[in-house]
Each structure stands twice: as C-alpha cells, then as structure tokens.
C-alpha cells in the first residue's frame, strides 16, 4: 500500500520501465506470469519494416499493388513484426 511517505514503484526502481516497476513488488507467481507474456521490442530494423508496412497499407486499391518481402535468419523476429502490425490493424472484410 502506498502512503504519502512511501515511494511508488517508479521511485523505488528508477532503472526499470514503469510497467516493469509496477510488477517488481508483486509475488513470484505474478512476476513470472508477467515475464512470460509476449511483447514486441521495436528495434531499428523492425521499426523500419513497420514503417514500410504502414506505407503499403496507405496505397489505394490498384491492379498491381506494391509488395515487400521480409527476409532474415530464423528467430530474428519476422513473425513478431507481422503479429505486431496485425494487432495494430485488425483484419476486416472492407465491406462498405
């Protein structure tokens, strides 16, 4: 419980991200559950790919729309990039 004289999690753990600091004082089960959640880490190449995908999404419908191929070694985050993009842009039937 936080009182006037008790620092909040962000003050107690200034080296941690605010969301992580909020979990730091919880029990081990809650901390482990938090750590096991999927999260997207926007490194530079992933951010660049997301910008490219956003650009493709903004194109009007055409007979020959532009496309991109995302290449990389196994376990480098290609699927994570697409999952993150899909979570930002849920599929729809595009029915007007």
């Amino acid at each position: 419980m936080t009182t006037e004289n008790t620092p909040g999690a962000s003050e107690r753990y200034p080296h941690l991200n605010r969301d992580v600091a909020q979990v730091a004082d919880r029990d081990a089960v809650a901390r482990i559950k938090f750590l096991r959640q999927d999260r997207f880490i926007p490194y530079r190449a992933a951010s660049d790919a997301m910008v490219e995908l956003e650009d493709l999404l903004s194109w009007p419908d055409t007979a020959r729309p532009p496309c991109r191929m995302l290449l990389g070694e196994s376990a480098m985050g290609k699927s994570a990039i697409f999952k993150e993009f899909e979570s930002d842009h849920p599929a729809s039937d595009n029915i007007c």
Side-chain angles (χ1 to χ4, degrees), residues 77-96:
K78 298 177 300 294
S79 295
I81 291 168
F82 287 112
K83 286 179 183 177
E84 181 68 12
F85 186 78
E86 183 181 28
S87 74
D88 291 345
H89 305 283
S92 71
D93 291 332
N94 294 326
I95 298 173
C96 297

Side-chain angles (χ1 to χ4, degrees), residues 20 23 28-39:
V20 175
V23 178
V29 172
R31 291 193 314 267
I32 290 168
K33 183 178 178 181
F34 177 80
L35 290 172
R36 289 181 175 169
Q37 292 175 348
D38 280 340
R39 58 187 43 84

Side-chain angles (χ1 to χ4, degrees), residues 3-72:
T3 64
E4 288 180 23
N5 298 327
T6 305
S10 294
E11 290 83 28
R12 285 191 309 281
Y13 308 109
H15 60 291
L16 296 178
N17 173 285
R18 185 180 354 186
D19 294 336
V20 175
Q22 298 289 333
V23 178
D25 289 330
R26 297 178 70 192
D27 63 78
V29 172
R31 291 193 314 267
I32 290 168
K33 183 178 178 181
F34 177 80
L35 290 172
R36 289 181 175 169
Q37 292 175 348
D38 280 340
R39 58 187 43 84
F40 180 73
I41 300 171
Y43 57 99
R44 187 179 57 86
S47 295
D48 291 348
M50 295 286 283
V51 168
E52 290 268 340
L53 292 172
E54 291 286 344
D55 183 52
L56 290 175
L57 190 63
S58 70
W59 276 74
D61 288 338
T62 61
R64 298 183 75 166
C67 63
R68 298 291 183 275
M69 181 186 299
L70 189 59
L71 297 173

